[in-house]
Amino acid sequence: MPKPPYTPISCDYHSELEWLALQRKPCHISYLAADGTQSHCHSIIRDIITRDAQEFIVLDDGSQIRLDALICVDGKLRPL
């Protein structure tokens, strides 16, 4: 099943994610997994990267989550 086209997130939310990455503190992350189900994890955001015109957070374990799949990070909902 192909992924939906990437939808950029708001600049303000992107700034919040950058701040969390700089702080290196563990945070709770809720997101939509590739199969469309809601998933959760508790991790440190290590970086924000761009690949193929899409942005991702890189977590402590090396996994990556597309920014438009995020639902809530560290108690802050992603604006729709």
Side-chain angles (χ1 to χ4, degrees):
M1 181 161 91
K3 291 182 182 177
Y6 180 72
T7 303
I9 65 168
S10 77
C11 292
D12 289 339
Y13 201 71
H14 194 282
S15 294
E16 293 279 346
L17 296 173
E18 288 174 332
W19 177 245
L20 290 170
L22 285 171
Q23 289 182 317
R24 301 274 194 239
K25 77 171 196 160
C27 54
H28 184 77
I29 301 167
S30 298
Y31 62 97
L32 288 177
D35 64 2
T37 61
Q38 186 170 340
S39 294
H40 308 276
C41 66
H42 192 75
S43 186
I44 295 171
I45 299 173
R46 290 289 175 193
D47 201 1
I48 299 174
I49 62 168
T50 303
R51 184 180 66 243
D52 299 325
Q54 301 174 72
E55 293 182 291
F56 300 82
I57 54 172
V58 180
L59 303 180
D60 211 22
D61 66 357
S63 61
Q64 299 177 7
I65 302 171
R66 212 167 83 163
L67 298 191
D68 64 345
L70 295 172
I71 298 169
C72 183
V73 178
D74 200 34
K76 296 178 178 136
L77 290 172
R78 179 178 62 89
L80 299 177

